[in-house]
Amino acid sequence: MAGKVFFSVSMSLDGFVAPESVPGGDVFGPGRQDDPQVRRWLAQWTELQQWVFPQRFFRENVGFGAGGEEGRDNDILRETFERTGASVMGKRMFDLGEQSWPEDAPFHTPVFVVTHTGRDPWERLGGTTFHFVNDGIERALDRAREAAGDRDVRIAGGGTTILEYLNAGLVDEFSIAVSPVLFGSGTRLFDGVDASRIALEPIRSEPSSRVTHLTYAVHRR
Amino acid sequence: MAGKVFFSVSMSLDGFVAPESVPGGDVFGPGRQDDPQVRRWLAQWTELQQWVFPQRFFRENVGFGAGGEEGRDNDILRETFERTGASVMGKRMFDLGEQSWPEDAPFHTPVFVVTHTGRDPWERLGGTTFHFVNDGIERALDRAREAAGDRDVRIAGGGTTILEYLNAGLVDEFSIAVSPVLFGSGTRLFDGVDASRIALEPIRSEPSSRVTHLTYAVHRR
């Protein structure tokens, strides 16, 4: 049986999945933190993802060593990782991550990067290989499905790529961790959503001490 | 002890508290439902508020007679009503409501309408009196506090008025019922929020079968 296509993101209460982008983009680059705009980006992004960092699974997965919290937030991170047989991501997210992921990148599966230019696969330690797909989002998804086998395909991000898949009717289900922060500006997850064609069916709503995890199935209407 | 100032709204998952406004505005007026734009507005608004209509408390309060669901959604509607000693609302919400509320308007307390023009108080059956305040949002709130005694003041809406109070640092706490719908356009609750000055403290997160009720305390930062 084929797996599902899903995404799972942290969203501010006012609907943003990333702070307003910074000229130059490479917020994780060396010396970039001297720029006040970069510092502001990082502070907002850290607040949005706050619930993730103390979790045991996150710490293990990025190589911060043992220790960390266990509980529903931790379980959700682990379950999301374990169901994922392959990921798809946009070029902008890849560019940002290329500077910040450890050599042992945190995916440990094939990752298909939607891009406009060719590039040879980039193999990292620990089972992550980035494949660059320059013939459209459907082709990238097909390749990810194939690689995932009976596990699920995660549309990893960023916001623009997620929305392209959602509007194309290619997403089966998604989860949002609603963080208790307001951004005021940035990348809105649903900006440009084809609302008239998408119906949501609530699947689960799970509060933790830090965020609320909302899960919906996506239907056409 | 003085009560709190709060708001409580239904919000689409993409952050809207009202559909895109319709030329003419009076969506509830006679014959207006022949206009396809009005029909679309009503359909979206009905979807957003879907969780409210079947509840026993709602049905009793608007005079639909006995019957209806009981459960956490119903309790929340009742608790929100009972804590409210007075409401504040914007002129646009009043104008819309003036056409659609029953003679026995559903507030049963004093309501202070923020407006730019004078008008005598408008008394309705069942204890609702609308007072028109044309000297600013702070004055409207002062009068509402006075009228509410030790009960709370609800900033009833619409979105623009709620945001004015939030940005002015006059809101202590708020609740959002996140509905499983996407609007794509309309009135965004947090559009123009002064995010850099507002910190949210999660108070409660309560899923029901239809929506998730999120409650936050508001702090300055």
Side-chain angles (χ1 to χ4, degrees), chain A residues 11 13-14 47 174 176 178 180-184 188 190-191 193 195 198 200 202 205 207 209-210 212 214 216 221, chain B residues 11 13-14 47 174 176 178 180-184 188 190-191 193 195 198 200 202 205 207 210 212 214 216 221:
Chain A
M11 184 177 88
L13 183 62
D14 53 349
E47 253 198 312
F174 64 84
I176 294 179
V178 180
V181 291
L182 296 170
F183 271 16
R188 279 206 171 88
F190 293 111
D191 208 7
V193 71
I198 296 171
L200 303 180
S205 171
S209 60
R210 294 193 163 81
T212 296
L214 303 174
Y216 302 89
R221 63 161 156 195
Chain B
M11 185 176 89
L13 183 62
D14 54 348
E47 254 199 312
F174 64 83
I176 294 179
V178 180
V181 293
L182 296 170
F183 271 17
R188 278 206 170 90
F190 293 112
D191 208 8
V193 72
I198 295 170
L200 302 180
S205 171
R210 293 192 163 82
T212 297
L214 304 173
Y216 302 90
R221 62 161 156 195

Side-chain angles (χ1 to χ4, degrees), chain B residues 31-218:
Chain B
R32 290 286 284 148
Q33 286 77 357
D34 300 339
D35 180 338
Q37 275 186 287
V38 171
R39 277 206 304 275
R40 184 163 170 272
W41 193 101
L42 287 168
Q44 284 194 309
W45 182 78
T46 304
E47 254 199 312
L48 182 67
Q49 305 288 347
Q50 198 82 61
W51 69 278
V52 173
F53 307 127
Q55 306 305 325
R56 185 184 183 93
F57 178 76
F58 170 79
R59 297 178 52 83
E60 281 171 9
N61 197 40
V62 296
F64 285 3
E69 286 183 24
E70 293 180 57
R72 198 56 200 123
D73 283 338
N74 189 56
D75 292 345
I76 285 172
L77 287 177
R78 187 181 302 275
E79 288 160 17
T80 303
F81 177 81
E82 285 174 354
R83 69 186 283 195
T84 304
S87 291
V88 172
M89 74 176 57
K91 180 61 163 46
R92 222 175 315 167
M93 177 173 176
F94 173 79
D95 287 344
L96 213 56
E98 195 177 7
Q99 309 158 31
S100 59
W101 291 315
E103 256 194 274
D104 177 359
F107 301 95
H108 308 294
T109 63
V111 177
F112 296 86
V113 182
V114 179
T115 177
H116 293 292
T117 51
R119 174 169 163 181
D120 287 337
W122 188 42
E123 211 172 307
R124 309 299 285 150
L125 294 176
T128 303
T129 301
F130 294 95
H131 300 273
F132 300 87
V133 184
N134 64 4
D135 47 1
I137 65 167
E138 302 211 16
R139 181 72 189 124
L141 182 56
D142 285 345
R143 289 189 57 189
R145 279 189 213 268
E146 221 169 282
D150 54 7
R151 283 196 291 164
D152 295 335
V153 172
R154 178 177 185 172
I155 311 297
T160 312
T161 301
I162 285 173
L163 199 73
E164 279 183 71
Y165 280 99
L166 187 62
N167 280 344
L170 296 170
V171 172
D172 299 311
E173 174 180 309
F174 64 83
S175 296
I176 294 179
V178 180
S179 284
V181 293
L182 296 170
F183 271 17
S185 64
T187 304
R188 278 206 170 90
L189 178 56
F190 293 112
D191 208 8
V193 72
D194 188 358
S196 62
R197 297 196 57 200
I198 295 170
L200 302 180
E201 177 197 349
I203 300 286
R204 272 186 310 281
S205 171
E206 292 187 89
S208 76
S209 60
R210 293 192 163 82
V211 292
T212 297
H213 299 276
L214 304 173
T215 301
Y216 302 90
V218 182

Side-chain angles (χ1 to χ4, degrees), chain A residues 39-53:
Chain A
R39 276 207 303 277
R40 183 162 170 273
W41 194 100
L42 288 168
Q44 285 194 308
W45 181 79
T46 304
E47 253 198 312
L48 183 67
Q49 304 290 347
Q50 198 80 62
W51 69 278
V52 173
F53 307 127

